Amino acid sequence: MDIIKVSHLVKEYKKIKKEMGLKGAVKNLFVQDAEYVRAVDDISFEIEKGDIVAYIGPNGAGKSTTVKMLSGIMRPTSGEILINGISPQKERKRVVKNLGVVFGQRSQLNWNLRLGETFELLKRIYQIDGALYEKNIKMLDEIFQFREFIDTPVRQLSLGQRMRGDLAAAMLHSPEILFLDEPTIGLDVEAKYSVRKFIKEINARSKTTIILTTHDLGDVQELCKRLIIINDGKIIEDGSLDELVDRIAPYRQLVIDFYHPITVGHPKAELVSVEEARAVYKFRKDEITAAQLIEDISHTAPIKEVGLREAKIDDIIRTAYRGSAQL
Ligand SMILES: Nc1ncnc2c1ncn2[C@@H]1O[C@H](COP(=O)(O)OP(=O)(O)O)[C@@H](O)[C@H]1O
Ligand SMILES: [Mg+2]
């Protein structure tokens, strides 16, 4: 069953257009020309329970705006959102009970409270039953290991600890859906790896559905079977990373060093360059394997060394952003 269903979602922000100069300054006192920015422009998708979906796109693409509408923080201009069949705009309280939200750039934790006090506060806000609260604290501590800093004021936590605290806080009321907006932003490599591990663990243990917006393509590769790419408020790709790689970058390159300068062709590979004893071949992954190519060529001339070149995930995604399908 689809736990999230979004149809023809649109969000327009009003932008005040200011005229420059003295004449403009005077005019601005009287008229305010409203101009609209379509941050989200007719987006539709469905998400199945238990999936981890990456929601990615360049800066200003409309990711955070989408997350804010899905989590009921902001009203859409038009279109419909259903979370478990309920609209967050119509029945905000009922929907919010089932959601956890983490904004990497803005902590939800109270700066002046100790982490434990924040948890207690959330217990009251969400009216979490005592037994469930104890159970969740225990489980979340196994994942996030926050005991060691539970009595530390939030403002004294490291960024990595704070993120663990934020993630735990978002999960305290056992939400079925977790929205993570840039959860690894600013974290060092080690903290980033542990946050990824935590996300996987939450998903595996509680079958939590996770929507993850990120700039970090390592996050996508590590965590998400499906990615939705948006640009200029529109969906430009929706599918698995493998499909995207196969479609955008169906070619690989094989570099072969022979013992002597020689030109060896192959019917299923294009000879891109020959320099001295080194030849570079370009071939389609779905037409021939590198192993087969190496074997065929070695029948003609003995091979000293081989190397494989593949398109990088970053380049593939960037190509998708640009909408051009050539590498
Ligand atoms: N409160 C706002 N008022 C006006 N414009 C906004 C507001 N928030 C975002 N925008 C604009 O909407 C677009 C999408 O922003 P956002 O959803 O934050 O993108 P992303 O999270 O993908 O970087 C951008 O052009 C941004 O400048
Ligand atoms: Mg954003």
Side-chain angles (χ1 to χ4, degrees), residues 265-270 282-284 287-289 292-293 296:
H266 191 282
K268 287 192 175 156
E270 179 194 331
K282 184 177 164 185
F283 63 100
R284 279 187 70 102
E287 283 182 356
I288 190 166
T289 63
Q292 187 63 54
L293 197 53
D296 292 353

Side-chain angles (χ1 to χ4, degrees), residues 79-130:
E80 190 182 48
I81 297 167
L82 291 174
I83 308 258
N84 267 330
I86 312 168
S87 157
Q89 274 68 44
K90 289 182 189 139
E91 296 186 70
R92 179 155 198 276
K93 275 199 182 147
R94 251 181 95 192
V95 172
V96 165
K97 274 198 174 148
N98 220 353
L99 306 180
V101 189
V102 175
F103 291 99
Q105 276 156 316
R106 212 176 133 257
S107 179
Q108 311 285 99
L109 306 173
N110 187 318
W111 230 231
N112 298 311
L113 297 182
R114 298 168 199 282
L115 187 62
E117 289 171 325
T118 304
F119 290 165
E120 289 289 333
L121 191 66
L122 287 167
K123 174 177 184 272
R124 266 178 282 152
I125 291 173
Y126 284 105
Q127 298 172 312
I128 308 167
D129 159 85

Side-chain angles (χ1 to χ4, degrees), residues 21 24 34 47 60 63 76 135 146 187 200 222 225 277 281 287:
I47 290 174
K63 304 179 293 292
K135 190 177 140 232
F146 49 66
L187 298 182
K200 269 191 207 164
E222 243 333 89
K225 268 185 263 149
Y281 298 86
E287 283 182 356

Side-chain angles (χ1 to χ4, degrees), residues 13-15 37-40 57-66 68 74 181-182 213 215 230:
Y13 290 114
K14 201 193 245 175
K15 213 173 154 183
V37 191
R38 259 192 179 218
V40 169
N59 257 330
K63 304 179 293 292
S64 296
T65 302
T66 309
K68 284 175 189 163
M74 190 180 264
D181 194 4
E182 303 280 0
T213 83
H215 268 90
I230 67 163

Side-chain angles (χ1 to χ4, degrees), residues 47 51-55 210-213 224-228:
I47 290 174
D51 277 0
I52 306 184
V53 178
Y55 196 67
I210 298 173
I211 289 92
L212 174 76
T213 83
C224 308
K225 268 185 263 149
R226 174 178 171 200
L227 67 163
I228 298 177

Side-chain angles (χ1 to χ4, degrees), residues 248-316:
I248 292 188
Y251 293 100
R252 304 170 94 181
Q253 289 194 344
L254 178 68
V255 183
I256 294 186
D257 288 329
F258 297 104
Y259 285 94
H260 310 286
I262 185 172
T263 302
V264 185
H266 191 282
K268 287 192 175 156
E270 179 194 331
L271 197 50
V272 182
S273 68
V274 183
E275 264 177 55
E276 308 274 316
R278 169 170 288 190
V280 179
Y281 298 86
K282 184 177 164 185
F283 63 100
R284 279 187 70 102
K285 284 184 269 199
D286 52 357
E287 283 182 356
I288 190 166
T289 63
Q292 187 63 54
L293 197 53
I294 292 166
E295 199 195 314
D296 292 353
I297 291 169
S298 70
H299 288 319
T300 309
I303 292 172
K304 189 172 155 194
E305 195 70 71
V306 295
L308 262 181
R309 292 180 189 157
E310 280 194 85
K312 292 197 194 75
I313 298 294
D314 287 40
D315 293 335
I316 290 166

